Each structure stands twice: as C-alpha cells, then as structure tokens.
Amino acid sequence: MSAGDAGQETTSAGRLTALTAGMAVPWGGDKVAFVSSELAKAFQAGDRLLVVDGALLHVPAAVQATASSAVARASAAFQALAQVSDDAITAFFEAFAAALADDAVWGRIAAANAADVAAAQARGRSTTRLAVSEAMRADMIAGLRAWRDAPASRGRILDRVEHQGWSVEQVAAPLGVVGFVFEGRPNVFADATGVLRTGNTVVFRIGSDALGTARAIVAEALDPALAKAGLPAGAAGLVDSAERSAGWAMFSDSRLALAVARGSGPAVAQLGAVARQAGVPVSLHGTGGAWMVADATAEAERFAAAVFHSLDRKVCNTLNTCCIVRSRAHELIPVFLEALEAAGRRRKGWRLHAAPAAWPLIPEAWRSRSGAVHRAEGVTTEALVTPLAEADLGCEWEWEETPEVSLTVVEDAAEAVALFNAHSPRFAASLIAEDPAAHEAFFSAIDAPFTGDGFTRWVDGQYALNKPELGLSNWENGRLFARGGVLSGDGVFTIRARVRQTDIELDRNPATAARPPGRP
C-alpha cells in the first residue's frame, strides 16, 4: 500500500455463517475479542453476532425472528394508528383498565404470576418486584385511567410564530415504535402503554421470571382491549421469548424510534450500547439508590422520619447511602440507627454497612450484633454491621425483605456532595437541613436529576407528577439533553413544523423577484 492509500475505505462484505474457537473479532477500531469454544459451538448459520464493548453477543436466528416480527407488527401498527381517532385510544385505556378490574380476569393473571413467583423462588431469584398484589393492581388501573383522562396531544400546537403574510407552527407528532425492556415487574405493562396516548406504538420484552405473567396480561387484558377499541393489532405487543438475547435483538432493530430499558447495573448499560450502536436513541434507568445528607442544621425528628419513610420497600428510590456531618454525628447517628431499626421492624430486620469515617462512631453493641437477613436465596445469619470502603458508597443494595443501607460521616455537606458526585450513580439526593442557604448550595452543587429535603421515595412519575412513568434516568452517563429524569408516555413525541401562507407573493428576495408569467 502506498502512502496515498493510507486511510482509504475498502469494501468487501459477506455473511457470517460460522465461528471457530479462538477467532479474533475486531472492535473499537484497534481491539479484538476472541470467540470462545462455547460460542463457536452454539453459533449456527443464520444467527447474528453483536460486538458491544468487546462482548460477543450471540442472537440465535429463531430469537431474532421473534423480535423482528414483533417490531414489524408495531411498525405497521404505527402507520395504521395515524388513522385512528383519539377517542379510540381513550377507549383502549378504559378497556385495559376494566379488564384488570375484572376479578375473573385478574384471578387468571394472578395464577400465572403465582407460578412465576414459585419458579423464581425455586431458582433463588428475587421476587420482590415480581409478585403482583392488590396494591399493584390498583396502581395499574389508576395509571391506565390517568392516560384515559389525559388530553390528546397529537397535533397539539406547541408554538406559533407570526410573520407578515405567513406563520409557522411547531406541532407535536408521534415519534414511532418504542422498544421497552424491563425486569420482572408486571405493572410496567400499564406504564409503557402510555406511549399510545401520543400516537406511538410499543413492543415489550420482559425478564424471563415474569414471562408467564406477561403472557397472561397480554391474552386476558391487553389484546382484548386493543381489539375492543379498534386499535391495530401489534400496537402494543410482547416479544414472546425467555431468551436474554431477545432484548439484544429488539434493541438492535433500527426501526425503533426509542429504546427504553428499566433495571440496573451492567445489563441495562449493555442494552443501551446495543441500541446506540444501531443508531437508536435510548432512555436508560441504570443503577439506582438514593442518598441522604444530614447537615449541621438538621432537625433530628425530621431526619428520623426521612430515614424511616425511605426504607419501606426496595426500589430504585429507596434510601441507599446516608451521610451525617461530624459536628452532629454523636447526636444523629443514634437517631439514624433507631430509624433503621424501626424500618426493620416494619419489614424483616435491618443491615448496615459503615464506611471508615462512621465505623468508630457506631456503638460497640451495634457493631457486634448478628441476626437473620432475608435474601432472595433464603434467610441467612450475618453480622448486621460490617465495614465498607469509601469507594463502595455507591454500591446499590438490592435487598429483598431486610432494609440494607450504607452510612458515612463527613465534615460538611460539601464533602457529602463530593462523595455523591464521585461514587454514586447520580440519581437522587436529599438534604435534611433547616438552613435555606444550605439547600440552595446543595441544589447547585449536587449532580443529580432529583433532589429533595425529606424522604427519598417521592421519585416516581405517577406519585410525584400524576403521570405513569416509562422510566427514570440517572445522570451516571451525563446530564440529559432537553428533558427531565422522568420519561412519561406523553413525553415521547417529535416536533414538526408547518407553515400557513396567506400571501402568495412571498419571496426571499422580493427586490429582484420576477413576476410570474401571465401576471400583471
């Protein structure tokens, strides 16, 4: 190759039909990943191989076909939905809600869920978010009826600019097909169908633990509601596969207008990378876990209440890490421990991880305690207070029935903010302080989309904004462009510009414009 050839593009393409153990697969421009013997054996002609940050992701042909078919149906439904009235979409939400409110229908869904829960427990899997309940049922129905009552937004004029002889309107319009991957939380079905309110369609992939429940919801409530309201088949559909690769297949489909992943940890980040690689915009939930800071002006009763009410159950906005300023530590650490113990009585015990700055300030009687901890794999006996490295303050504790939290001591709120910005997933933070100036400084410095001055469990689209959420986003990978951390169904839209011209002689260069032929 001559010097002049350097950097030139060469094109030679073919089909990947087989892999061999040890095969080098280029990625990232100057890196390679190597095919394992297991992958080489599993890969068949017609399968797909995705290379994401060095990971080789195998998508079997049958799984790819299942995902592609679901996206194709949703894509066709999107075109058809443009001809469906907003009243019909309203009728869909009521029909879906009414089906869930029907005791016979819910009984069949609950039976499928009981089988899912039993199977998950037998595998030592967490069922905290998998099990349905009457409260979850009520929330799903309320969410659907909130979308029923929400104003239609297709064609809504967001802005109008008037000019002499013409005007321009900025008009809200549907975005397209939304792909949705979520963990085993059946209630997310109701949340995600909110995108239909704005004229979009949606395709779901749910975790394998909840697949039986999902199938029951689709068969007993979702599909009948679509049909009853006259919405196109496939407007809301399930990728019916238990394979993890189904999520990769769906998110790599460039027909998606938006990919939404709910969950936490590396799996969500990987899904986001798959979508971005396919050119699909993403909204990722990412790692959760809320932080709380008690400063020098904190009122003890308010602090105790905030801790207690932030530990009622484990979800992303549950209190995960608490920081107490050193000048109040001798007073507020006992308050914190009492609130944690009270939360444990509400649930099933408690578990504490103490950073080096907090460890010597925790009473020896507490540090020496052991007891039962209810985990997904069963009940274990553990030391209830254990040391934690400062660098691990951002670790999210995925507890099952036993509230689990980290504690550290800081010199001031500014140090707590620095720890949050350095180690947390940059999700939610609360400052307990009586000084208004402290709150202003905290809000300015903390790198979080959600901040507050009390309990952390308010971070929820339906609870806080009266809108069922598609997902919550942290700032772990940077701040979000032009939107907040709550993604709701009515936030999934694009903007079209439409001109209204009343002066037929408009011209960008009127001084030199020639008169049209035949005109005086």
Side-chain angles (χ1 to χ4, degrees):
M1 177 184 290
S2 67
D5 293 330
Q8 290 186 356
E9 178 182 346
T10 60
T11 302
S12 180
R15 286 284 180 183
L16 181 66
T17 58
L19 297 174
T20 58
M23 178 187 291
V25 180
W27 70 279
D30 60 354
K31 305 178 183 70
V32 292
F34 295 97
V35 175
S36 68
S37 58
E38 293 80 9
L39 175 57
K41 183 178 180 180
F43 193 89
Q44 303 292 320
D47 293 356
R48 297 181 67 214
L49 184 71
L50 305 177
V51 187
V52 179
D53 295 331
L56 303 181
L57 309 181
H58 176 211
V59 181
V63 175
Q64 178 63 40
T66 298
S68 182
S69 177
V71 175
R73 289 193 299 272
S75 184
F78 175 69
Q79 299 299 323
L81 199 59
Q83 308 305 316
V84 173
S85 71
D86 289 323
D87 286 344
I89 295 174
T90 297
F92 158 73
F93 287 114
E94 175 53 33
F96 194 0
L100 296 180
D102 184 299
D103 288 341
V105 169
W106 184 256
R108 292 189 288 272
I109 293 171
N113 180 253
D116 279 346
V117 169
Q121 288 174 334
R123 297 194 302 272
R125 304 272 291 174
S126 173
T127 60
T128 301
R129 305 178 190 186
L130 172 59
V132 300
S133 64
E134 283 302 316
M136 181 185 289
R137 178 190 185 187
D139 284 347
M140 292 173 72
I141 293 168
L144 290 166
R145 286 180 169 151
W147 288 126
R148 176 199 65 187
D149 298 337
S153 61
R154 291 188 298 178
R156 176 168 53 99
I157 297 174
L158 305 173
D159 190 24
R160 179 186 286 109
V161 179
E162 298 287 349
H163 301 273
Q164 185 173 350
W166 62 295
S167 63
V168 180
E169 297 169 345
Q170 298 278 74
V171 184
L175 183 66
V177 180
V178 180
F180 210 105
V181 173
F182 50 98
E183 73 258 346
R185 295 180 66 178
N187 58 308
V188 176
F189 260 92
D191 298 342
T193 55
V195 301
L196 273 70
R197 179 77 277 177
T198 44
N200 303 291
T201 57
V202 61
V203 58
F204 313 92
R205 193 266 165 179
I206 195 168
S208 59
D209 287 348
L211 186 56
T213 307
R215 287 169 174 161
I217 291 174
V218 170
E220 298 287 346
L222 177 59
D223 280 354
L226 289 170
K228 184 175 182 179
L231 269 60
L238 176 69
V239 176
D240 196 345
S241 173
E243 298 298 323
R244 182 183 177 192
S245 58
W248 303 333
M250 185 175 77
F251 270 28
S252 64
D253 195 317
S254 60
R255 291 172 293 182
L256 295 184
L258 177 67
V260 181
R262 287 178 65 158
S264 62
V268 168
Q270 187 177 74
L271 281 166
V274 168
R276 291 189 183 101
Q277 192 165 283
V280 178
V282 300
S283 174
L284 305 180
H285 191 298
T287 305
W291 284 45
M292 185 179 295
V293 181
D295 88 342
T297 67
E299 199 277 318
E301 184 178 3
R302 184 182 185 89
F303 176 52
V307 171
F308 174 78
H309 294 297
S310 297
L311 292 170
D312 62 310
R313 64 187 290 246
K314 174 53 193 163
V315 285
C316 63
N317 55 31
T318 301
L319 175 61
N320 193 80
T321 304
C322 185
C323 304
I324 298 174
V325 295
R326 189 171 300 280
S327 63
R328 298 287 303 283
H330 287 287
E331 175 190 355
L332 294 182
I333 284 179
V335 171
F336 169 82
L337 295 175
E338 289 174 10
L340 175 60
E341 195 167 41
R345 289 193 295 270
R346 186 182 191 183
R347 300 289 302 197
K348 293 180 180 179
W350 54 269
R351 184 73 165 77
L352 177 63
H353 303 268
W359 181 263
L361 301 176
I362 296 173
E364 174 60 31
W366 278 72
R367 295 203 306 260
S368 61
R369 292 173 70 174
S370 62
V373 176
H374 294 253
R375 301 202 178 278
E377 60 272 19
V379 181
T380 63
T381 299
E382 303 177 16
L384 297 182
V385 183
T386 51
L388 179 76
E390 183 179 280
D392 293 330
L393 283 170
C395 177
E396 181 183 8
W397 305 114
E398 291 286 359
W399 51 271
E400 192 75 8
E401 290 291 343
T402 303
E404 192 164 4
V405 67
S406 298
L407 176 68
T408 192
V409 171
V410 293
E411 294 303 321
D412 50 29
E415 183 185 351
V417 168
L419 289 172
F420 177 94
N421 291 346
H423 300 301
S424 84
R426 302 188 180 193
F427 177 54
S430 184
L431 176 67
I432 310 302
E434 296 300 303
D435 180 7
H439 282 285
E440 291 303 314
F442 185 80
F443 184 81
S444 297
I446 199 88
D447 201 22
F450 304 102
T451 62
D453 62 358
F455 88 136
T456 62
R457 290 273 285 111
W458 68 273
V459 182
D460 177 280
Q462 187 160 338
Y463 184 80
L465 304 178
N466 295 325
K467 294 180 180 181
E469 70 189 42
L470 295 180
L472 299 171
S473 295
N474 62 29
W475 284 356
E476 192 169 15
N477 295 309
R479 298 191 178 201
L480 305 173
F481 177 70
R483 74 172 181 89
V486 177
L487 180 66
S488 188
D490 60 1
V492 181
F493 63 92
T494 189
I495 298 175
R496 305 175 69 184
R498 179 169 58 193
V499 70
R500 306 284 192 179
Q501 183 177 337
T502 55
D503 180 0
I504 64 171
E505 299 290 357
L506 281 177
D507 191 281
R508 293 296 299 272
N509 296 287
T512 59
R515 305 296 291 172
R519 293 291 302 276

